[in-house]
Amino acid sequence: MEKTLSIIKPDAVKKGVIGKIIDRFESNNLRVAGMKKIQLSRADAEAFYAVHKERGFFGELVDFMISGPVVVIALEGEDAMTKNRELMGATNPKEAKPGTIRADFADSIDANAVHGSDSVENAAVEIAFFFSQRELS
Ligand code: AMP
């Protein structure tokens, strides 16, 4: 069984669609292995997105990710990483296929509702960033 990390971003938490997004996962055979609602510090967000620190959008991305609480979720299932990315849709919601989470709940490339790990290797690193072993089952 593969694991991946999802983050329900501040825009989607503010809209009150946490449950609707989790339903997309559970209805598509992705099980919640771990979950918590947290307020990221600036240091947390900068460390989590360190790979993007040279990109022009880094500052806005960090500001956005600390603008309110997020829900971090470790998902588990067959092909969990790829399946989650299919369910999310394209990074830019204007390009996301109808029926995807971003097409249905996101407003802009910054406020794009969800994050999903982009490889199985990164998923392991990202899950370890947020969860201790005892928080995963
Ligand atoms: P990720 O690719 O998921 O590691 O995270 C990058 C995040 O940065 C995306 O999910 C977007 O919310 C945000 N972002 C803002 N501008 C851009 C851009 N031009 N290209 C890619 N991501 C962007």
Side-chain angles (χ1 to χ4, degrees), residues 25-89:
F25 302 143
E26 293 190 324
S27 298
N28 287 278
N29 297 318
L30 292 177
R31 194 179 70 77
V32 174
M35 176 163 65
K36 52 191 164 186
K37 184 178 179 205
I38 55 177
Q39 171 66 52
L40 296 179
S41 67
R42 184 168 293 277
D44 289 332
E46 286 177 352
F48 183 78
Y49 280 118
V51 63
H52 295 309
K53 70 172 179 290
E54 307 303 331
R55 309 282 294 272
F57 58 81
F58 182 70
E60 278 171 31
L61 173 60
V62 168
D63 285 346
F64 176 67
M65 290 300 288
I66 65 173
S67 66
V70 298
V71 178
V72 290
I73 308 170
L75 293 170
E76 186 179 59
E78 202 173 314
D79 295 326
M81 187 279 293
T82 304
K83 192 181 278 181
N84 179 41
R85 290 183 71 82
E86 285 168 7
L87 293 173
M88 289 188 331

Side-chain angles (χ1 to χ4, degrees), residues 9 49 52 55 57 61 91 102 109-110 112 114-116:
K9 295 188 180 186
Y49 280 118
H52 295 309
R55 309 282 294 272
F57 58 81
L61 173 60
T91 305
R102 283 170 169 156
I109 195 162
D110 291 304
N112 65 353
V114 279
H115 163 85

Side-chain angles (χ1 to χ4, degrees), residues 92-108:
N92 186 343
K94 293 192 184 86
E95 292 161 14
K97 285 192 192 137
T100 60
I101 293 169
R102 283 170 169 156
D104 291 346
F105 302 118
D107 298 320
S108 68

